[in-house]
Amino acid sequence: MANMSTSYLGKPTSRVDGRAKVTGAAKYAAEHNVSGLAYGFVVTSAIAKGRILRIHTTDALSVPGMLDVFTHDHRPKLAASAEKYGDEVAPPGSPFRPLYDDRIRFSGQPVALVVAEELETARFAASLIRVDYEQQQHVTDFEAHHGRARVVSENGESQSHKRGNAAKAFSQAPVRIEVEYRIPVEHHNPMEMFGATAVWEDDDRITVYNKTQGPQNCRNYVANVFGMAQDAVRILSPYVGGGFGSGLRPQYELPLAVLAARALRRSVQVALTRQQMFTIGYRAANIQSLALAAERDGKLASFRHQWVGMTSQFENFQRNYVTWSSLLYKCDNVELVQKLVKLDQNTPCDMRAPGGAEGLFAIECATDELAYAAGLDPLTLRLSNYSDKDQIEDKPYSSKELRECYRQGAEKFGWSKRNPQPRSMKDGNELVGWGMATGIWEAMQMKASAKAVLTANGSVEISSATADIGPGTYTMMTQLAADMLGVPIEHVTAKLGDSALPDAPVEGGSFTTSSVGCAIQAACREVQKELLRLAQRIPRSPLAGAKLEDVTLAEDGIRHKSKNVEVSLADAMRAGNIDRIEKEASAEPNEKSKYSHYTHSAVFAEIKVDEQIGVVRVTRIVNAVAAGRILNPKLAASQILGAVVGGIGMALHEETLTDNRFGRFMTHNLADYHVPVNADVHAIDVIFVNEKDDEINPLGVKGVGEIGIVGTAAAIANAVYHATGKRVRDLPITIDKLLRP
Amino acid sequence: MNNFEFSRASDVADAVRQMAADPGAKFVAGGTNLIDLIKEGVARPSRLIDITRLPLGRLDETGDGGLRIGALVPNSDLAYHPQIEKRYPLLHSAILAGASPQLRNMATTGGNLLQRTRCFYFYDTTTPCNKREPGSGCSAIDGLNRMHAILGTSEHCIATHPSDMCVALAALDARVLATGRDGERSIAFADFHRLPGDTPQFDTNLKKDEIITAIELPPKGFATNYSYLKIRDRLSYAFALVAVAAALEIENGAIKEARLALGGVAHKPWRDRQAESQLHGAPAIRESFVRAADNVLRDARSFGHNDFKIELARRAIVRTLTQAANGTPQSQGDKRIR
Ligand SMILES: Cc1cc2nc3c(=O)[nH]c(=O)nc-3n(C[C@H](O)[C@H](O)[C@H](O)COP(=O)(O)OP(=O)(O)OC[C@H]3O[C@@H](n4cnc5c(N)ncnc54)[C@H](O)[C@@H]3O)c2cc1C
Ligand code: SF4
């Protein structure tokens, strides 16, 4: 059994949950109806900073069918210490405590939960709530206040880095650029709004259907906030309508639903509206300044990159924005800095490839600018600075087929036919632009557990407390178990999205397949061992003396690879007087690895622009990805496609506008907050280059959930430059910016 | 969201009667705009009068060879009606430039005329807005006004009318038929929507008790030389930054008649008779179009974020007139600008 049979792995298997999703059989958090369910509607603050003086609830409470209005001064007991509101992925600081006190920390903060027998009643009554505030001067203007930013290093998370003498090398090099890039606030907007259906059992127990990327993260949060035992709280999230990072941390609908259920001693459902989806975390606005210098041959002499981002007054959210260049490009003189400015806003949160998507936009546009300054092809410049070493950690890579990404991507795209001269390529009345960029993302693994159950009749159940926010985790689990245990895929049931299942981390960071997948592999391995042990207990067992490597599992039993003998599942189990084998196992990363682990990509974009009017069309994208072993090319490609669409949105559409007079996000619906629609998305070619990585984890996988967005916006922006000769350095690249003289 | 009564109108007279009886009532047709506004707390009707069962879903020829479009004809049906595709392709094109197929299936002809502005502040009840709350102030003038008007604005409101269909109807000289307590009347399209002035709470001149029953199109459809060009922040499903409807009648290279209407630039679909008459008799060439564009925008005024709209409108006018003159109208399917 050493060589895993591969009847499913590596094959383009369709989603096992696809049918449930398209037929509506899959139920989402706020679709669960339980008996006696009451409905909560959230009232949010109209101001960005101050105190609540009074909340007038009389009118609301007088509406027939109303149950109660919960506020900071009318609610059951909540944990006082901010620590209790922390979670697995919380940034350093003091987490927001919903309905805790009278302080307003950001516009859109929940200030009341109106609960009624019917949703309509709650929503109507919510419109009758009046809140008196004592308003204080807020600061939300990132552009005006970014100068106040400072380096924040907590938990060793400053991400600043220095090598050599970047300033000196810069001043002495012949080719230099100094540029500044901007990315605005963006919101995730998964299809499914956050929702929680809290099923009240008794004072000490609760079960909640919740939209989350981490059921156990939410379980621990509820237990801590309400002072309950961990095993008295159960969070169920079998189906999640998208997350993109917004569901990594518990959102406020969860504690509000639980709070109301406990106070009313009945089940309560709370779902956010689309507008309220703009009151939770977001991708932080940022300004990135880069100064790059090179020799005439394009060899990097100096690389300086400063990132300034925004965070809330109460938590310091930051990710790796600036270190990526030291993973991609050889350079001896480097200065990388990250700074944060605190604003009266909610805390930002992870949004697809957090840190990478933002950092690589600036790095890869600046690299393109440097190539033009040096008079070199952008791809040539990248290849001549190619780094085989992680210069931050001073480690080699476990695998890095980025050269192959460049080669295959360029070939598929036809890069060699590119005329480097800006404004040189035309198609009718449109200018054509070809741009490229590099993508890189961490290939992480977290500790995770899984349980495998094999029954005598050959059916398998595989489970882990992870989530499936869309990438196809159910399918991955099913494929793996089917292969490991030699059963047809239809005989496997995968279970996830339940905090009571074996421990798993949040689904995020593109680490689910490596983490949970390896745990499944380990659990199945235990089942295999047990089965062989039992098979060998049969009197005169044909498998006597066989080792695990000598046998293979098939639908009908356990078979010797070289001798034509086998023991049926039923016989083996009978030998142990059992009808099922149940094994739980966990897997964790090799902390002592001497290698750095990253996923890479090369993105090539073609755009066409009607220069007179400023309308840009992204007509073609080729994204070549090196992500280790690809377990399911169909679902993996679908991850890249979706992420590329996200990259198109980042490049051309997405922006949450703030009115700083009100300290408030003003584009809070999907008519005003633009994401790409079908008309904006044309040919997208996904290539997975062969990448073998035996070191990274037993499965050899890296994860594909995020890499597709990294570099995409830069490739598009670079293509816009190639087409028009204009550098738009502030996203999104909209018509007004292209019309700028 | 407020509490409201719901009733159904049995016929047009009943609809008018019910409306007259309840000053806080609203008609609901497709509901694609009104229900959103109710959910956001912007509209707070005391009663919704469902008019969807009224016999206003027909499309008939009028005595003079024009068409009468019932107020309840869905936007999709209208766009794809063979008479519209053949005789009024400008209207066909403008409708398809708006919203999404799903919305167009629900949206009605009457409702489209009365859809309200998409100004962010109008939609957010925590902010001042004269249109929503007369006298509270206009947040957009010194605020986020990228989508806002450049023509016909007032110090009280700089919102735009968001409809695409109405831009074509304005260009085609349609008429609006309405019935109220005082009987039926026919309103010229140009007089239907209004400029904000100091009463921006009123989008149109329709009276409170009036129901739109139909739109009438005159016989002339400009089916040869026309184009509808909509410029927006993504290639479909976004409101216009600038939209232009152009219709020309050309004889021997000279313009015999010109119609030019703009969307996304004013509180109403913008027609400029002076610019049009300047085109009459002029050669159908770029210079004439540039002059017309300059003329339309002579009094344009912007507010910061929307400064680019003046130049964008200028270019869009020239481009659309060129498309119309060349007989190469903008396709709403292929997003490349012709
Ligand atoms: C996300 C989104 C995007 C959109 N994009 C576009 C776009 O790009 N271009 C565009 O043009 N439109 C767009 N629309 C708007 C859409 O066209 C309108 O919502 C629709 O036309 C309204 O028609 P309805 O029948 O649904 O009106 P309703 O919502 O039912 O009513 C609108 C108003 O008209 C009144 N009313 C309706 N019928 C009558 C009548 N016969 N007599 C008197 N009063 C009446 C109602 O009382 C209400 O005040 C978009 C809408 C949405 C939600
Ligand atoms: S432009 Fe008009 S709709 Fe917008 S805030 Fe001003 S008054 Fe209100």
Side-chain angles (χ1 to χ4, degrees):
Chain A
M1 264 180 272
N3 302 329
M4 213 188 293
S5 80
T6 50
S7 35
Y8 296 107
L9 289 188
K11 304 280 162 59
T13 309
S14 293
R15 280 172 207 277
V16 296
D17 51 333
R19 191 185 162 83
K21 282 190 171 163
V22 298
T23 55
K27 277 195 177 176
Y28 294 85
E31 293 181 330
H32 290 274
N33 203 345
V34 295
S35 74
L37 188 62
Y39 296 84
F41 194 83
V42 181
V43 179
T44 57
S45 80
I47 66 162
K49 187 178 179 186
R51 280 180 190 280
I52 301 169
L53 295 177
R54 198 171 156 208
I55 302 187
H56 304 266
T57 58
T58 320
D59 290 353
L61 287 167
S62 69
V63 174
M66 267 297 294
L67 293 169
D68 210 339
V69 177
F70 298 100
T71 64
H72 67 281
D73 60 11
H74 175 65
R75 57 158 174 82
K77 191 168 162 348
L78 295 171
S81 126
E83 222 165 86
K84 299 274 188 200
Y85 295 76
D87 67 276
E88 225 177 276
V89 286
S94 167
F96 173 62
R97 293 168 289 175
L99 299 195
Y100 186 75
D101 57 21
D102 62 353
R103 284 191 52 194
I104 300 294
R105 291 165 176 83
F106 58 92
S107 181
Q109 164 182 331
V111 295
L113 180 74
V114 179
V115 188
E117 296 286 351
E118 304 288 342
L119 176 60
E120 291 75 11
T121 311
R123 194 164 188 166
F124 165 52
S127 75
L128 303 177
I129 301 276
R130 295 283 168 268
V131 184
D132 297 338
Y133 300 100
E134 174 197 293
Q135 205 165 338
Q136 290 160 10
Q137 191 55 47
H138 60 255
V139 175
T140 58
D141 192 340
F142 174 63
E143 193 64 42
H145 291 273
H146 78 273
R148 291 200 286 110
R150 56 182 189 86
V151 173
V152 176
S153 42
E154 280 157 313
N155 310 348
E157 280 233 34
S158 92
Q159 265 83 30
S160 295
H161 180 86
K162 239 178 144 160
R163 301 195 290 279
N165 187 337
K168 190 166 156 226
F170 183 83
S171 65
Q172 292 170 353
V175 183
R176 293 183 282 195
I177 58 144
E178 270 182 283
V179 286
E180 204 168 85
Y181 289 92
R182 282 170 163 73
I183 299 174
V185 170
E186 297 171 4
H187 278 84
H188 314 67
N189 282 304
M191 289 256 270
E192 184 198 7
M193 270 81 85
F194 281 91
T197 305
V199 184
W200 192 77
E201 286 158 57
D202 57 50
D203 288 343
D204 306 317
R205 300 195 71 79
I206 197 137
T207 296
V208 191
Y209 293 96
N210 188 211
K211 175 199 172 87
T212 176
Q213 296 178 228
Q216 290 180 328
N217 194 26
C218 287
R219 174 198 63 193
N220 300 349
Y221 177 88
V222 169
N224 288 339
V225 170
F226 294 94
M228 298 169 79
Q230 248 182 31
D231 60 7
V233 180
R234 189 171 176 199
I235 304 287
L236 298 169
S237 58
Y239 296 102
V240 178
F244 309 115
S246 63
L248 288 171
R249 301 185 68 181
Q251 297 298 352
Y252 61 75
E253 85 293 346
L254 173 64
L256 294 191
V258 173
L259 170 157
R262 284 169 64 82
L264 297 170
R265 315 190 84 217
R266 64 185 281 188
S267 300
V268 175
Q269 182 172 91
V270 177
L272 302 193
T273 62
R274 179 59 67 188
Q275 286 70 25
Q276 290 167 347
M277 291 293 282
F278 288 81
T279 64
I280 58 174
Y282 51 89
R283 201 193 284 286
N286 55 85
I287 300 176
Q288 303 183 56
S289 322
L290 293 97
L292 273 55
E295 305 304 333
R296 295 215 187 281
D297 61 0
K299 289 265 181 326
L300 272 170
S302 171
F303 204 110
R304 279 184 289 170
H305 184 178
Q306 175 184 273
W307 181 90
V308 175
M310 63 189 276
T311 190
S312 63
Q313 301 286 5
F314 46 93
E315 286 171 315
N316 290 325
F317 179 90
Q318 60 178 331
R319 293 290 179 248
N320 268 327
Y321 303 93
V322 293
T323 49
W324 308 101
S325 56
S326 284
L327 307 170
L328 292 174
Y329 304 122
K330 251 186 306 200
C331 186
D332 293 335
N333 303 296
V334 172
E335 201 179 315
L336 309 171
V337 189
Q338 294 191 181
K339 292 181 176 175
L340 283 178
V341 60
K342 287 179 165 292
L343 298 176
D344 295 308
Q345 296 271 28
N346 199 352
T347 309
C349 77
D350 290 308
M351 181 162 165
R352 212 167 194 172
E358 300 94 325
L360 268 292
F361 164 66
I363 292 166
E364 288 300 285
C365 285
T367 307
D368 196 72
E369 299 210 35
L370 186 70
Y372 272 92
L376 290 170
D377 176 87
L379 180 50
T380 310
L381 179 114
R382 285 174 170 88
L383 285 168
S384 68
N385 290 294
Y386 195 92
S387 177
D388 286 307
K389 211 175 71 180
D390 168 349
Q391 297 159 92
I392 304 266
E393 299 277 329
D394 198 20
K395 284 180 181 176
Y397 296 101
S398 59
S399 60
K400 179 174 179 178
E401 294 294 343
L402 176 58
R403 270 203 189 88
E404 207 40 34
C405 295
Y406 287 139
R407 195 188 65 75
Q408 291 187 29
E411 186 177 298
K412 175 100 196 174
F413 187 80
W415 186 255
S416 62
K417 295 197 267 310
R418 176 177 183 264
N419 180 340
Q421 195 59 35
R423 308 181 60 81
S424 61
M425 292 170 64
K426 292 203 171 73
D427 175 16
N429 53 18
E430 289 178 314
L431 292 166
V432 177
W434 287 6
M436 59 92 46
T438 315
I440 174 168
W441 186 244
E442 292 159 273
M444 292 178 269
Q445 183 184 353
M446 303 284 163
K447 182 175 183 190
S449 312
K451 187 162 92 178
V453 181
L454 175 69
T455 63
N457 64 10
S459 71
V460 170
E461 188 182 280
I462 188 84
S463 58
S464 178
T466 181
D468 187 345
I469 60 172
T473 310
Y474 277 112
T475 313
M476 175 276 288
M477 292 170 72
T478 307
Q479 282 177 282
L480 258 175
D483 263 4
M484 293 286 297
L485 300 176
V487 299
I489 215 164
E490 304 77 43
H491 293 192
V492 181
T493 311
K495 279 190 167 173
L496 52 73
D498 178 348
S499 60
L501 296 173
D503 290 356
V506 294
E507 174 158 88
S510 302
F511 53 60
T512 301
T513 300
S514 60
S515 311
V516 177
C518 288
I520 290 170
Q521 192 186 32
C524 290
R525 185 83 73 211
E526 292 305 312
V527 172
Q528 292 173 343
K529 281 188 200 155
E530 177 66 5
L531 199 62
L532 179 60
R533 195 180 67 81
L534 294 175
Q536 290 173 334
R537 271 175 46 179
I538 295 176
R540 289 181 310 280
S541 169
L543 297 176
K547 300 218 170 50
L548 202 53
E549 306 85 76
D550 303 330
V551 298
T552 172
L553 257 65
E555 197 179 345
D556 38 1
I558 176 164
R559 186 182 295 151
H560 202 286
K561 279 183 194 162
S562 49
K563 302 178 198 156
N564 191 16
V565 292
E566 68 172 56
V567 172
S568 75
L569 276 186
D571 287 347
M573 296 231 189
R574 206 172 302 123
N577 211 7
I578 51 171
D579 58 2
R580 50 174 28 215
I581 298 173
E582 213 175 295
K583 292 286 175 188
E584 190 172 322
S586 53
E588 51 191 305
N590 172 13
E591 298 294 356
K592 291 193 290 278
S593 171
K594 292 199 256 330
Y595 297 91
S596 278
H597 309 289
Y598 288 90
T599 308
H600 297 88
S601 71
V603 194
F604 296 82
E606 175 186 84
I607 66 107
K608 297 189 177 173
V609 55
D610 186 297
E611 194 185 15
Q612 224 186 10
I613 303 288
V615 172
V616 176
R617 304 186 301 131
V618 179
T619 44
R620 207 154 55 92
I621 301 260
V622 174
N623 199 334
V625 180
R629 184 174 182 202
I630 301 300
L631 297 187
N632 184 335
K634 185 174 181 180
L635 294 191
S638 131
Q639 281 302 292
I640 306 300
L641 291 177
V644 165
V645 172
I648 295 175
M650 187 175 175
L652 302 182
H653 307 123
E654 294 190 45
E655 176 170 29
T656 306
L657 295 171
T658 309
D659 188 320
N660 292 307
R661 297 169 303 173
F662 307 115
R664 191 170 172 86
F665 295 138
M666 291 306 301
T667 41
H668 38 57
N669 59 57
L670 289 179
D672 297 330
Y673 184 91
H674 290 160
V675 297
V677 295
N678 281 338
D680 298 297
V681 181
H682 293 265
I684 303 174
D685 272 315
V686 179
I687 299 169
F688 289 112
V689 310
N690 225 336
E691 189 174 67
K692 198 163 155 28
D693 195 329
D694 292 330
E695 195 279 337
I696 190 162
N697 55 50
L699 279 173
V701 300
K702 286 185 170 176
V704 292
E706 286 155 297
I707 184 70
I709 194 174
V710 185
T712 299
I716 293 170
N718 292 339
V720 168
Y721 170 72
H722 179 235
T724 63
K726 259 188 200 150
R727 286 282 177 194
V728 177
R729 299 190 179 91
D730 47 337
L731 295 182
I733 303 171
T734 45
I735 290 172
D736 45 330
K737 295 174 189 169
L738 281 170
L739 292 189
R740 282 194 296 230
Chain B
M1 186 155 193
N2 66 325
N3 236 346
F4 53 81
E5 300 289 323
F6 185 85
S7 56
R8 187 163 278 155
S10 55
D11 55 29
V12 170
D14 180 41
V16 172
R17 211 172 316 123
Q18 286 196 37
M19 183 56 84
D22 187 342
K26 283 247 171 227
F27 294 126
V28 61
T32 60
N33 188 217
L34 183 57
I35 303 299
D36 277 0
L37 290 169
I38 294 174
K39 285 199 275 189
E40 303 248 16
V42 177
R44 301 171 152 261
S46 52
R47 168 184 298 273
L48 282 189
I49 306 170
D50 176 11
I51 57 170
T52 54
R53 308 284 171 95
L54 300 186
L56 303 174
R58 288 171 56 100
L59 204 139
D60 304 297
E61 298 225 13
T62 55
D64 65 354
L67 279 184
R68 179 181 295 117
I69 305 158
L72 289 172
V73 174
N75 288 177
S76 302
D77 291 13
L78 182 58
Y80 291 115
H81 192 280
Q83 290 274 4
I84 299 294
E85 286 196 69
K86 192 162 137 258
R87 294 175 55 199
Y88 304 95
L90 177 65
L91 180 57
H92 162 84
S93 185
I95 295 172
L96 295 185
S100 65
Q102 293 89 335
L103 281 161
R104 295 194 298 263
N105 287 342
M106 288 298 291
T108 64
T109 305
N112 193 307
L113 264 58
L114 294 174
Q115 63 174 295
R116 308 212 66 190
T117 185
R118 308 305 290 205
C119 172
F120 307 147
Y121 303 99
F122 178 69
Y123 265 80
D124 189 329
T125 53
T126 68
T127 61
C129 166
N130 285 328
K131 187 180 277 299
R132 180 169 30 77
E133 243 178 277
S136 62
C138 170
S139 297
I141 290 180
D142 296 317
L144 301 168
N145 52 40
R146 190 166 171 280
M147 296 296 291
H148 287 71
I150 51 171
L151 289 164
T153 54
S154 78
E155 58 182 310
H156 303 287
C157 179
I158 59 169
T160 59
H161 190 259
S163 170
D164 290 293
M165 183 179 94
C166 290
V167 182
L169 291 174
L172 291 169
D173 268 346
R175 297 191 74 84
V176 182
L177 299 189
T179 302
R181 262 179 306 186
D182 302 334
E184 184 173 75
R185 66 178 177 132
S186 162
I187 309 162
F189 210 82
D191 300 329
F192 185 78
H193 295 100
R194 53 188 300 287
L195 292 179
D198 56 7
T199 49
Q201 65 271 34
F202 302 115
D203 296 349
T204 72
N205 290 315
L206 195 71
K207 296 195 194 113
K208 176 74 196 24
D209 63 299
E210 283 180 321
I211 179 172
I212 300 174
T213 55
I215 302 288
E216 277 187 357
L217 291 175
K220 202 159 172 177
F222 297 89
T224 313
N225 293 104
Y226 73 92
S227 186
Y228 188 78
L229 178 60
K230 178 180 185 183
I231 300 165
R232 53 197 139 175
D233 278 324
R234 60 184 166 194
L235 295 173
S236 182
Y237 199 26
F239 290 96
L241 291 166
V242 170
V244 184
L248 299 173
E249 201 183 337
I250 302 175
E251 239 175 52
N252 304 325
I255 298 168
K256 205 172 148 206
E257 187 169 0
R259 302 279 179 82
L260 187 59
L262 268 62
V265 297
H267 199 256
K268 60 187 288 191
W270 191 260
R271 275 266 315 258
D272 188 322
R273 310 269 165 180
Q274 191 187 325
E276 286 177 10
S277 62
Q278 191 189 35
L279 279 170
H280 294 172
I285 55 169
R286 190 182 156 79
E287 287 67 33
S288 313
F289 304 152
V290 170
R291 223 171 324 120
D294 288 343
N295 202 348
V296 172
L297 297 164
R298 61 192 179 272
D299 295 326
R301 184 182 159 211
S302 58
F303 299 87
H305 298 127
N306 70 349
D307 292 350
F308 73 103
K309 270 192 167 192
I310 299 179
E311 182 56 25
L312 182 63
R314 192 184 318 277
R315 296 180 187 190
I317 293 170
V318 174
R319 194 67 164 267
T320 317
L321 283 166
T322 309
Q323 293 175 333
N326 292 346
T328 53
Q330 180 59 40
S331 154
Q332 299 306 338
D334 172 10
K335 305 294 176 182
R336 168 199 293 258
I337 302 177
R338 297 206 170 149

